[in-house]
Amino acid sequence: MIYPLPAVMVSLGETPEEYNIITIAWTGTLCSDPPMCYISVRPERHSYAIIERTRAFVINLTTRPLAFATDWCGVRSGRTYNKFEEMHLTPGAASKVRAPIIEEAPINIECKVTEIKRLGTHDMFIAEVVNVKADERYIDPQSGAFDLAAAEPLVFAHGGYYGLGRKIGKFGFSVQKKRRNKTAKKK
Ligand SMILES: Cc1cc2nc3c(=O)[nH]c(=O)nc-3n(C[C@H](O)[C@H](O)[C@H](O)COP(=O)(O)O)c2cc1C
């Protein structure tokens, strides 16, 4: 019941024959320094044994245009399909891990598994983030910041996919002093 969540496409595999994509909603940040994150995967998934062996995966953030592929990769198995080919997605070279990135994703987060926590239905792959690639199209040339809204991120809540809603405020807005109206007459 902790919603909303990102629905990410996790890419994995050491060789092109093995490359696969699994859609994951049980994912998140664990620590800022060292940068750590996790994905929770059911042991029966085709992807599970590959990640367990290679100890590597890439979290690819998803967008409105990637919604169809995100859902499809979450209802079809790499045992039967080559998901990159079926969804016309491009595997690219990661810099630091033995797993492909998805070129069409706006952000690729390269992860090295440091620990596998056996939990129950799902096992948690705790990982160190070793490299992050961002699509230059979404980088503001002035500030160098990543324009998340322009990338139209995909949000998953109660079985449905949504876009981001209207921005409500920014970090710390609740305690920020109101700016005085510069045009107001001085007393
Ligand atoms: C939106 C969405 C979120 C999902 N989240 C997870 C998840 O967090 N963990 C998991 O093990 N499976 C999750 N799945 C299911 C797997 O993606 C699905 O079983 C997939 O077909 C497994 O692929 P594979 O057999 O090629 O590894 C999710 C599916 C969808 C559609």
Side-chain angles (χ1 to χ4, degrees):
M1 294 306 286
I2 305 172
Y3 283 111
L5 295 159
V8 298
M9 286 197 279
V10 170
S11 46
L12 52 120
E14 250 179 323
T15 58
E17 300 73 51
E18 192 178 61
Y19 285 174
N20 192 32
I21 302 169
I22 176 172
T23 301
I24 293 286
W26 292 178
T27 182
T29 303
L30 285 171
C31 181
S32 306
D33 188 12
M36 305 279 298
C37 63
Y38 79 95
I39 58 170
S40 285
V41 185
R42 285 186 183 258
E44 59 267 31
R45 307 291 187 228
H46 176 65
S47 303
Y48 184 103
I50 301 173
I51 301 174
E52 189 182 37
R53 192 189 75 244
T54 60
R55 299 188 79 84
F57 60 87
V58 179
I59 295 178
N60 304 273
L61 298 196
T62 55
T63 59
R64 190 182 289 266
L66 288 172
F68 185 92
T70 304
D71 186 63
W72 199 88
C73 291
V75 292
R76 290 285 181 264
S77 179
R79 281 188 192 100
T80 319
Y81 295 96
N82 179 327
K83 298 191 198 179
F84 276 98
E85 277 180 21
E86 294 285 339
M87 290 293 103
H88 307 292
L89 294 171
T90 319
S95 303
K96 302 255 175 76
V97 297
R98 291 176 302 157
I101 65 165
I102 300 175
E103 294 280 8
E104 288 77 6
I107 299 258
N108 318 106
I109 304 168
E110 298 178 27
C111 301
K112 269 190 186 164
V113 176
T114 56
E115 193 184 331
I116 304 171
K117 238 182 155 21
R118 320 271 169 201
L119 296 175
T121 56
H122 294 67
D123 287 350
M124 186 182 195
F125 289 85
I126 298 175
E128 185 167 355
V129 174
V130 289
N131 194 45
V132 178
K133 279 188 186 152
D135 188 331
E136 305 241 326
R137 275 182 301 161
Y138 304 114
I139 305 280
D140 184 309
Q142 253 95 57
S143 66
F146 182 77
D147 187 350
L148 182 71
E152 296 187 279
L154 200 60
V155 174
F156 185 64
H158 291 271
Y161 302 97
Y162 300 84
L164 274 191
R166 195 174 58 83
K167 186 174 179 179
I168 292 163
K170 65 172 187 176
F171 182 89
F173 85 101
S174 61
V175 294
Q176 211 164 28
K177 287 208 177 94
K178 286 205 175 77
R179 285 174 84 195
R180 289 178 63 199
N181 187 349
K182 282 180 187 164
T183 57
K185 278 185 187 161
K186 284 182 187 155
K187 284 186 182 165

